């Protein structure tokens, strides 16, 4: 059991199995020397984490912190290995889970590379609605965690997220009251970016191509680290006006 704000493990700790969430909410994030963090995943009930590094027998590349009072089930590595040797269907399910996780990370890199900040926020809101909702009616959404954590998960600053919420509210597309968001018509929200509002820069411009390549390279390094593979820091030399300095992820 973990209380809200309690650490489960730190970056560099050695795994002895993986975890499944019975109830509550967990955050996986990269720490930085400056005291900031990059949230990689926000996980809830019936989700698991830690499988990849368990198989590779390497230290955790992220830290895990509870965002709410949580109950976790720890599955020991030895028990997993014994099941893999005797149950082929269990092995297939483990592989499927790892493949889904990798697909999700690649989807994140695509989103950071090709979608504007407004598009990412709108996509985040739409993911939290039921597909069967009447798109002409108001839809109520409770944000799963704090806006600061959500901003990091979407690769935004908290100030940018607040500005986007303000712009969407000014356009009468949403209303925001703390962690509660009311969407005034899903169809209008979906059409907002397609009408030219909040769209990403043209992908044909040299600056956009440079920015996209930089983010993809940084995202690829994140994926390598998430799956426990250590590589030397990757220098990313960028020629666009916003990112002129070489960056080490």
């Amino acid at each position: 059991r973990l209380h809200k704000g309690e650490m489960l493990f730190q970056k560099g700790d050695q795994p002895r199995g993986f975890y499944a969430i019975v109830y509550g909410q967990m955050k996986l994030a990269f720490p930085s020397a400056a005291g900031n963090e990059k949230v990689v995943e926000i996980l809830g009930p019936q989700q698991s984490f830690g499988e990849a590094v368990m198989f590779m027998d390497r230290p955790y590349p992220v830290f895990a912190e509870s965002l709410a009072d949580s109950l976790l089930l720890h599955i020991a590595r030895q028990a997993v290995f014994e099941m893999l040797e005797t149950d082929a269907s269990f092995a297939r399910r483990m592989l499927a889970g790892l493949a889904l996780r990798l697909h999700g990370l690649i989807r994140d890199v695509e989103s950071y590379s090709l979608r504007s900040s407004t598009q990412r926020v709108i996509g985040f809101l739409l993911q939290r609605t039921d597909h069967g909702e009447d798109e002409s009616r108001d839809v109520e959404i409770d944000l799963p965690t704090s806006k600061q954590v959500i901003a990091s998960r979407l690769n935004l600053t908290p100030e940018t997220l607040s500005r986007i919420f303000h712009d969407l509210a000014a356009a009468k597309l949403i209303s925001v009251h703390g962690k509660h968001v009311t969407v005034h018509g899903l169809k209008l929200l979906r059409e907002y970016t397609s009408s030219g509002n909040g769209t990403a820069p043209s992908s044909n411009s040299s600056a956009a191509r440079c920015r996209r390549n930089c983010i993809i390279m940084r995202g690829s390094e994140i994926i390598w680290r998430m799956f426990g593979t250590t590589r030397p820091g990757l220098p990313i030399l960028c020629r666009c006006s916003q990112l002129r300095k070489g960056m080490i992820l």
Side-chain angles (χ1 to χ4, degrees):
R1 291 178 185 272
L2 294 174
H3 295 296
K4 181 179 179 180
E6 191 173 348
M7 287 287 184
L8 176 63
F9 56 74
Q10 295 281 0
K11 178 182 178 181
D13 288 352
Q14 196 68 28
R16 295 179 176 83
F18 74 97
Y19 296 89
I21 303 174
V22 180
Y23 65 77
Q25 192 176 64
M26 297 296 298
K27 171 182 72 177
L28 305 182
F30 293 112
S32 75
N36 301 319
E37 62 182 39
K38 170 65 183 81
V39 177
V40 177
E41 285 193 273
I42 302 170
L43 302 167
Q46 301 182 17
Q47 291 184 285
S48 62
F49 58 96
E51 299 95 327
V53 289
M54 173 193 70
F55 283 120
M56 302 189 73
D57 195 22
R58 300 205 176 181
Y60 288 114
V62 296
F63 68 82
E65 179 185 351
S66 60
L67 295 174
D69 291 347
S70 304
L71 176 63
L72 308 180
L73 177 64
H74 179 257
I75 298 93
R77 176 169 47 197
Q78 188 58 39
V80 174
F81 288 174
E82 290 175 1
M83 285 290 293
L84 291 173
E85 292 176 359
T86 60
D87 190 337
S89 64
F90 176 76
R92 286 194 295 270
R93 288 195 296 271
M94 289 292 295
L95 285 172
L98 291 171
L100 283 172
R101 189 71 52 81
L102 178 59
H103 181 74
L105 290 169
I106 293 173
R107 187 174 61 245
D108 286 346
V109 173
E110 179 186 24
S111 176
Y112 301 154
S113 307
L114 303 177
R115 302 179 71 188
S116 71
S117 54
T118 300
Q119 289 172 328
R120 296 202 296 274
V121 173
I122 290 176
F124 177 84
L125 294 175
L126 293 175
Q127 285 175 1
R128 274 142 189 84
T129 63
D130 294 330
H131 294 294
E133 295 274 6
D134 183 348
E135 297 209 343
S136 64
R137 301 182 62 181
D138 288 359
V139 177
E140 307 297 328
I141 300 172
D142 288 316
L143 299 179
T145 186
S146 69
K147 293 175 184 176
Q148 182 175 358
V149 172
I150 291 171
S152 180
R153 180 68 183 86
L154 296 177
N155 208 34
L156 306 171
T157 64
E159 293 78 14
T160 298
L161 179 62
S162 295
R163 176 183 57 78
I164 293 170
F165 276 155
H166 179 270
D167 291 345
L168 294 176
K172 301 188 183 305
L173 296 172
I174 65 172
S175 299
V176 182
H177 302 283
K179 292 173 65 174
H180 187 78
V181 178
T182 301
V183 177
H184 303 303
L186 294 175
K187 184 178 180 180
L188 293 175
L189 191 62
R190 293 183 199 278
E191 293 175 346
Y192 182 70
T193 53
S194 63
S195 65
N197 296 295
T199 54
S202 170
S203 60
N204 294 324
S205 70
S206 59
R209 287 196 303 271
C210 187
R211 178 176 178 273
R212 180 170 64 249
N213 290 338
C214 286
I215 297 176
I216 289 174
M217 292 172 73
R218 288 172 66 84
S220 299
E221 185 75 3
I222 289 174
I223 291 174
W224 276 82
R225 292 189 182 186
M226 276 297 295
F227 279 83
T229 304
T230 54
R231 297 196 304 170
L234 180 66
I236 305 169
L237 302 179
C238 179
R239 292 188 296 273
C240 65
S241 58
Q242 292 87 0
L243 302 170
R244 291 188 180 277
K245 296 182 179 179
M247 295 177 290
I248 304 294
L249 182 65

